[in-house]
Amino acid sequence: MADSGSGRGGFRGGFGTRGRGRGRGRGRGRGRGRGKENEKEWVPITKLGRLVKDGKIRSLEEIYLFSLPIKEFEIIDFFLAPQLKDEVLKIMPVQKQTRAGQRTRFKAFVAIGDFNGHIGLGVKCSKEVATAIRGAIILAKLSIVPVRRGYWGNKIGKPHTVPCKVTGKCGSVLVRLIPAPRGTSIVAASVPKKLLQMAGIEDCYTSARGQTATLGNFAKATYAAIAKTYAYLTPDLWKETVFTKSPYQEFTDYLAKYHKISSEQRQETKLY
């Protein structure tokens, strides 16, 4: 028995003579397999996803222009994957009282942005920390919004601050973003500072009131304020909008022609 065991690295599946025993081999194999899972080809399940994958829609801005809802996070990955960076803002345990005692779950807050005009915020609750973070990243990608940037004074160089004063509110927390001169950097607490940096805003004054210690509400209020930058109508946007066909209308024939009706109903696969 001992001889047969030593041939493959001993009883406990150790490293063996050439470092190829069960211990290390299994770990490496699992890592490789997981990589392949992540790299498997995206099969879009929405009309928008099909148009994006087939190259009919060339940028996220075309989607935002017609306010089309994004239901697949792969659409965001398709356009922004290399530039996107995500950061876990907080992981907090939440409890529910049951007859058997408490049931503890973990709530993850994740911010995601490309540091160049796109920002998203995701919140997910799950039994495990890793699952909560994964789910929050997916929800953050789905909630990505464009950020409008502007100038404090003369329009020299690239836009560097918020175009006007904007406010966002969540719970008791109210966050106000105020344009700042070039070189000021971001004058804010740590949570809004991270979100503003990820959005690509270089200079900004902030003012906050309410219970800012509630990190979730503080982050949501900042996200709401940043999202409002495109909702505010400034004089340079007064010129008449020339409406064009929405992608669904433009590519109706294409979608009808290449739509494959599957025989069996496809179930939703949860990735978190």
Side-chain angles (χ1 to χ4, degrees), residues 107-148:
K107 194 176 184 182
F109 295 89
V110 173
I112 197 163
D114 64 348
F115 295 84
N116 190 23
H118 295 96
I119 184 77
L121 182 69
V123 184
K124 178 70 184 168
C125 201
S126 183
K127 287 179 190 174
E128 293 175 21
V129 174
T131 319
I133 291 171
R134 251 197 325 271
I137 288 171
I138 289 169
L139 292 174
K141 284 178 182 175
L142 292 175
S143 71
I144 279 183
V145 290
V147 181
R148 188 171 175 216

Short mmCIF file of all heavy atoms in Angstrom, two decimals, residues 107-148:
data_model
loop_
_atom_site.label_atom_id
_atom_site.label_comp_id
_atom_site.label_asym_id
_atom_site.label_seq_id
_atom_site.Cartn_x
_atom_site.Cartn_y
_atom_site.Cartn_z
N LYS A 107 -24.38 42.12 3.10
CA LYS A 107 -24.80 43.11 2.12
C LYS A 107 -23.55 43.80 1.59
O LYS A 107 -22.75 44.32 2.38
CB LYS A 107 -25.72 44.12 2.80
CG LYS A 107 -26.50 45.01 1.87
CD LYS A 107 -27.44 45.89 2.70
CE LYS A 107 -28.32 46.74 1.83
NZ LYS A 107 -29.18 47.62 2.64
N ALA A 108 -23.38 43.79 0.28
CA ALA A 108 -22.19 44.39 -0.34
C ALA A 108 -22.57 45.61 -1.15
O ALA A 108 -23.57 45.59 -1.88
CB ALA A 108 -21.50 43.36 -1.24
N PHE A 109 -21.79 46.67 -0.99
CA PHE A 109 -21.95 47.89 -1.79
C PHE A 109 -20.74 48.00 -2.71
O PHE A 109 -19.60 48.05 -2.22
CB PHE A 109 -22.00 49.14 -0.89
CG PHE A 109 -23.20 49.18 0.02
CD1 PHE A 109 -23.16 48.60 1.28
CD2 PHE A 109 -24.37 49.78 -0.39
CE1 PHE A 109 -24.26 48.63 2.11
CE2 PHE A 109 -25.49 49.83 0.44
CZ PHE A 109 -25.43 49.25 1.69
N VAL A 110 -20.97 48.01 -4.02
CA VAL A 110 -19.87 48.06 -4.98
C VAL A 110 -20.05 49.24 -5.93
O VAL A 110 -21.14 49.43 -6.48
CB VAL A 110 -19.78 46.73 -5.79
CG1 VAL A 110 -18.76 46.84 -6.91
CG2 VAL A 110 -19.42 45.58 -4.88
N ALA A 111 -18.98 50.02 -6.11
CA ALA A 111 -19.00 51.11 -7.09
C ALA A 111 -18.16 50.67 -8.28
O ALA A 111 -17.15 49.99 -8.12
CB ALA A 111 -18.42 52.38 -6.49
N ILE A 112 -18.59 51.05 -9.48
CA ILE A 112 -17.85 50.68 -10.69
C ILE A 112 -17.79 51.89 -11.62
O ILE A 112 -18.75 52.66 -11.70
CB ILE A 112 -18.52 49.45 -11.36
CG1 ILE A 112 -17.58 48.77 -12.34
CG2 ILE A 112 -19.82 49.80 -12.03
CD1 ILE A 112 -18.00 47.38 -12.73
N GLY A 113 -16.66 52.09 -12.26
CA GLY A 113 -16.54 53.24 -13.16
C GLY A 113 -15.33 53.09 -14.06
O GLY A 113 -14.46 52.25 -13.82
N ASP A 114 -15.29 53.91 -15.11
CA ASP A 114 -14.16 53.84 -16.05
C ASP A 114 -13.26 55.08 -15.94
O ASP A 114 -12.37 55.26 -16.76
CB ASP A 114 -14.65 53.67 -17.50
CG ASP A 114 -15.45 54.87 -17.98
OD1 ASP A 114 -15.81 55.74 -17.15
OD2 ASP A 114 -15.71 54.96 -19.20
N PHE A 115 -13.49 55.93 -14.92
CA PHE A 115 -12.72 57.16 -14.70
C PHE A 115 -12.81 58.11 -15.91
O PHE A 115 -11.95 58.94 -16.10
CB PHE A 115 -11.24 56.84 -14.38
CG PHE A 115 -11.07 56.10 -13.08
CD1 PHE A 115 -11.22 54.72 -13.00
CD2 PHE A 115 -10.79 56.79 -11.91
CE1 PHE A 115 -11.08 54.04 -11.80
CE2 PHE A 115 -10.65 56.12 -10.70
CZ PHE A 115 -10.79 54.74 -10.65
N ASN A 116 -13.86 57.90 -16.72
CA ASN A 116 -13.99 58.73 -17.92
C ASN A 116 -15.47 58.90 -18.33
O ASN A 116 -15.84 58.65 -19.45
CB ASN A 116 -13.19 58.10 -19.08
CG ASN A 116 -13.09 59.03 -20.26
OD1 ASN A 116 -13.21 60.24 -20.14
ND2 ASN A 116 -12.89 58.46 -21.44
N GLY A 117 -16.29 59.28 -17.35
CA GLY A 117 -17.67 59.61 -17.71
C GLY A 117 -18.71 58.53 -17.56
O GLY A 117 -19.81 58.66 -18.09
N HIS A 118 -18.40 57.43 -16.85
CA HIS A 118 -19.41 56.39 -16.60
C HIS A 118 -19.26 55.92 -15.16
O HIS A 118 -18.16 55.64 -14.70
CB HIS A 118 -19.23 55.20 -17.54
CG HIS A 118 -19.47 55.54 -18.97
ND1 HIS A 118 -18.44 55.84 -19.84
CD2 HIS A 118 -20.62 55.65 -19.69
CE1 HIS A 118 -18.95 56.11 -21.03
NE2 HIS A 118 -20.27 56.01 -20.96
N ILE A 119 -20.40 55.80 -14.46
CA ILE A 119 -20.37 55.38 -13.05
C ILE A 119 -21.59 54.51 -12.76
O ILE A 119 -22.67 54.73 -13.30
CB ILE A 119 -20.32 56.62 -12.10
CG1 ILE A 119 -20.20 56.22 -10.63
CG2 ILE A 119 -21.55 57.48 -12.28
CD1 ILE A 119 -18.85 55.81 -10.21
N GLY A 120 -21.39 53.49 -11.91
CA GLY A 120 -22.50 52.62 -11.50
C GLY A 120 -22.36 52.24 -10.04
O GLY A 120 -21.25 52.23 -9.50
N LEU A 121 -23.48 51.94 -9.41
CA LEU A 121 -23.48 51.55 -8.00
C LEU A 121 -24.39 50.34 -7.84
O LEU A 121 -25.53 50.35 -8.32
CB LEU A 121 -23.98 52.71 -7.13
CG LEU A 121 -24.00 52.49 -5.62
CD1 LEU A 121 -22.57 52.41 -5.08
CD2 LEU A 121 -24.75 53.61 -4.93
N GLY A 122 -23.88 49.29 -7.19
CA GLY A 122 -24.68 48.07 -7.00
C GLY A 122 -24.72 47.64 -5.55
O GLY A 122 -23.72 47.75 -4.84
N VAL A 123 -25.88 47.15 -5.12
CA VAL A 123 -26.07 46.66 -3.75
C VAL A 123 -26.67 45.27 -3.83
O VAL A 123 -27.67 45.07 -4.54
CB VAL A 123 -27.01 47.59 -2.94
CG1 VAL A 123 -27.12 47.12 -1.50
CG2 VAL A 123 -26.54 49.02 -3.00
N LYS A 124 -26.06 44.32 -3.12
CA LYS A 124 -26.56 42.94 -3.18
C LYS A 124 -26.40 42.28 -1.81
O LYS A 124 -25.38 42.46 -1.15
CB LYS A 124 -25.78 42.15 -4.24
CG LYS A 124 -26.17 40.70 -4.38
CD LYS A 124 -27.54 40.54 -4.97
CE LYS A 124 -27.95 39.09 -5.00
NZ LYS A 124 -29.37 38.94 -5.32
N CYS A 125 -27.41 41.52 -1.44
CA CYS A 125 -27.40 40.81 -0.16
C CYS A 125 -27.37 39.31 -0.44
O CYS A 125 -28.12 38.84 -1.30
CB CYS A 125 -28.66 41.19 0.62
SG CYS A 125 -28.50 40.89 2.37
N SER A 126 -26.51 38.59 0.27
CA SER A 126 -26.41 37.15 0.04
C SER A 126 -25.87 36.45 1.28
O SER A 126 -25.33 37.10 2.18
CB SER A 126 -25.50 36.87 -1.15
OG SER A 126 -25.46 35.49 -1.41
N LYS A 127 -26.01 35.12 1.30
CA LYS A 127 -25.53 34.35 2.46
C LYS A 127 -24.01 34.39 2.57
O LYS A 127 -23.46 34.31 3.66
CB LYS A 127 -25.97 32.89 2.33
CG LYS A 127 -27.45 32.67 2.57
CD LYS A 127 -27.77 31.19 2.39
CE LYS A 127 -29.28 30.98 2.37
NZ LYS A 127 -29.60 29.58 2.06
N GLU A 128 -23.35 34.47 1.43
CA GLU A 128 -21.88 34.48 1.43
C GLU A 128 -21.34 35.80 0.91
O GLU A 128 -21.95 36.42 0.03
CB GLU A 128 -21.34 33.33 0.55
CG GLU A 128 -21.65 31.96 1.13
CD GLU A 128 -21.22 30.85 0.19
OE1 GLU A 128 -20.36 31.11 -0.68
OE2 GLU A 128 -21.76 29.74 0.31
N VAL A 129 -20.18 36.19 1.41
CA VAL A 129 -19.58 37.47 1.04
C VAL A 129 -19.23 37.50 -0.45
O VAL A 129 -19.57 38.45 -1.16
CB VAL A 129 -18.31 37.76 1.89
CG1 VAL A 129 -17.61 39.01 1.41
CG2 VAL A 129 -18.68 37.90 3.35
N ALA A 130 -18.59 36.42 -0.94
CA ALA A 130 -18.14 36.38 -2.34
C ALA A 130 -19.34 36.48 -3.29
O ALA A 130 -19.29 37.19 -4.31
CB ALA A 130 -17.36 35.11 -2.62
N THR A 131 -20.43 35.78 -2.94
CA THR A 131 -21.63 35.80 -3.78
C THR A 131 -22.25 37.19 -3.80
O THR A 131 -22.71 37.68 -4.83
CB THR A 131 -22.66 34.78 -3.26
OG1 THR A 131 -21.98 33.60 -2.89
CG2 THR A 131 -23.70 34.46 -4.31
N ALA A 132 -22.25 37.84 -2.63
CA ALA A 132 -22.81 39.20 -2.53
C ALA A 132 -22.01 40.18 -3.38
O ALA A 132 -22.58 41.01 -4.10
CB ALA A 132 -22.83 39.65 -1.07
N ILE A 133 -20.68 40.06 -3.36
CA ILE A 133 -19.82 40.97 -4.13
C ILE A 133 -20.04 40.74 -5.62
O ILE A 133 -20.17 41.68 -6.40
CB ILE A 133 -18.33 40.78 -3.74
CG1 ILE A 133 -18.09 41.29 -2.33
CG2 ILE A 133 -17.41 41.51 -4.72
CD1 ILE A 133 -16.72 40.96 -1.76
N ARG A 134 -20.10 39.45 -6.02
CA ARG A 134 -20.32 39.13 -7.45
C ARG A 134 -21.64 39.71 -7.94
O ARG A 134 -21.72 40.31 -9.01
CB ARG A 134 -20.30 37.61 -7.65
CG ARG A 134 -19.07 37.12 -8.38
CD ARG A 134 -19.20 35.72 -8.94
NE ARG A 134 -19.97 34.79 -8.16
CZ ARG A 134 -19.48 34.01 -7.20
NH1 ARG A 134 -18.21 34.10 -6.86
NH2 ARG A 134 -20.24 33.16 -6.54
N GLY A 135 -22.68 39.52 -7.15
CA GLY A 135 -24.00 40.04 -7.52
C GLY A 135 -24.01 41.56 -7.58
O GLY A 135 -24.62 42.15 -8.47
N ALA A 136 -23.32 42.20 -6.61
CA ALA A 136 -23.28 43.67 -6.57
C ALA A 136 -22.54 44.22 -7.78
O ALA A 136 -22.92 45.27 -8.32
CB ALA A 136 -22.61 44.13 -5.28
N ILE A 137 -21.49 43.53 -8.24
CA ILE A 137 -20.73 43.98 -9.43
C ILE A 137 -21.64 43.94 -10.66
O ILE A 137 -21.66 44.87 -11.47
CB ILE A 137 -19.46 43.12 -9.64
CG1 ILE A 137 -18.42 43.46 -8.56
CG2 ILE A 137 -18.87 43.34 -11.03
CD1 ILE A 137 -17.23 42.52 -8.53
N ILE A 138 -22.43 42.86 -10.78
CA ILE A 138 -23.34 42.73 -11.93
C ILE A 138 -24.40 43.83 -11.89
O ILE A 138 -24.68 44.49 -12.90
CB ILE A 138 -24.00 41.33 -11.94
CG1 ILE A 138 -22.95 40.27 -12.32
CG2 ILE A 138 -25.19 41.26 -12.90
CD1 ILE A 138 -23.37 38.84 -12.13
N LEU A 139 -24.97 44.09 -10.71
CA LEU A 139 -25.99 45.13 -10.58
C LEU A 139 -25.40 46.52 -10.81
O LEU A 139 -26.05 47.39 -11.37
CB LEU A 139 -26.64 45.06 -9.19
CG LEU A 139 -27.50 43.82 -8.93
CD1 LEU A 139 -27.98 43.78 -7.49
CD2 LEU A 139 -28.70 43.77 -9.86
N ALA A 140 -24.13 46.70 -10.41
CA ALA A 140 -23.46 47.99 -10.63
C ALA A 140 -23.27 48.23 -12.13
O ALA A 140 -23.46 49.34 -12.62
CB ALA A 140 -22.11 48.02 -9.91
N LYS A 141 -22.92 47.16 -12.87
CA LYS A 141 -22.76 47.30 -14.33
C LYS A 141 -24.09 47.66 -14.99
O LYS A 141 -24.13 48.49 -15.89
CB LYS A 141 -22.22 45.98 -14.92
CG LYS A 141 -20.74 45.78 -14.66
CD LYS A 141 -20.26 44.45 -15.20
CE LYS A 141 -18.79 44.25 -14.90
NZ LYS A 141 -18.33 42.92 -15.32
N LEU A 142 -25.17 47.05 -14.51
CA LEU A 142 -26.48 47.33 -15.10
C LEU A 142 -26.96 48.75 -14.79
O LEU A 142 -27.80 49.29 -15.49
CB LEU A 142 -27.52 46.32 -14.60
CG LEU A 142 -27.33 44.87 -15.08
CD1 LEU A 142 -28.34 43.96 -14.42
CD2 LEU A 142 -27.46 44.77 -16.59
N SER A 143 -26.42 49.33 -13.71
CA SER A 143 -26.87 50.68 -13.31
C SER A 143 -25.93 51.78 -13.79
O SER A 143 -26.03 52.91 -13.33
CB SER A 143 -27.01 50.75 -11.79
OG SER A 143 -25.73 50.73 -11.19
N ILE A 144 -25.00 51.44 -14.69
CA ILE A 144 -24.04 52.45 -15.16
C ILE A 144 -24.77 53.57 -15.91
O ILE A 144 -25.61 53.31 -16.77
CB ILE A 144 -22.95 51.80 -16.04
CG1 ILE A 144 -21.89 51.17 -15.13
CG2 ILE A 144 -22.31 52.80 -16.99
CD1 ILE A 144 -20.71 50.56 -15.84
N VAL A 145 -24.42 54.81 -15.54
CA VAL A 145 -25.03 55.99 -16.18
C VAL A 145 -23.93 56.89 -16.73
O VAL A 145 -22.80 56.88 -16.22
CB VAL A 145 -25.91 56.79 -15.19
CG1 VAL A 145 -27.16 56.04 -14.82
CG2 VAL A 145 -25.12 57.20 -13.95
N PRO A 146 -24.24 57.69 -17.75
CA PRO A 146 -23.24 58.63 -18.26
C PRO A 146 -23.14 59.85 -17.34
O PRO A 146 -24.12 60.24 -16.71
CB PRO A 146 -23.79 59.04 -19.63
CG PRO A 146 -25.26 58.85 -19.51
CD PRO A 146 -25.49 57.75 -18.53
N VAL A 147 -21.94 60.42 -17.25
CA VAL A 147 -21.71 61.58 -16.38
C VAL A 147 -21.37 62.78 -17.25
O VAL A 147 -20.46 62.71 -18.08
CB VAL A 147 -20.54 61.30 -15.40
CG1 VAL A 147 -20.32 62.47 -14.48
CG2 VAL A 147 -20.79 60.02 -14.63
N ARG A 148 -22.10 63.86 -17.05
CA ARG A 148 -21.81 65.08 -17.82
C ARG A 148 -20.83 65.92 -17.03
O ARG A 148 -21.01 66.15 -15.83
CB ARG A 148 -23.10 65.86 -18.04
CG ARG A 148 -22.88 67.02 -18.98
CD ARG A 148 -24.19 67.66 -19.37
NE ARG A 148 -23.91 68.83 -20.18
CZ ARG A 148 -24.60 69.95 -20.15
NH1 ARG A 148 -25.62 70.06 -19.34
NH2 ARG A 148 -24.28 70.95 -20.92
#
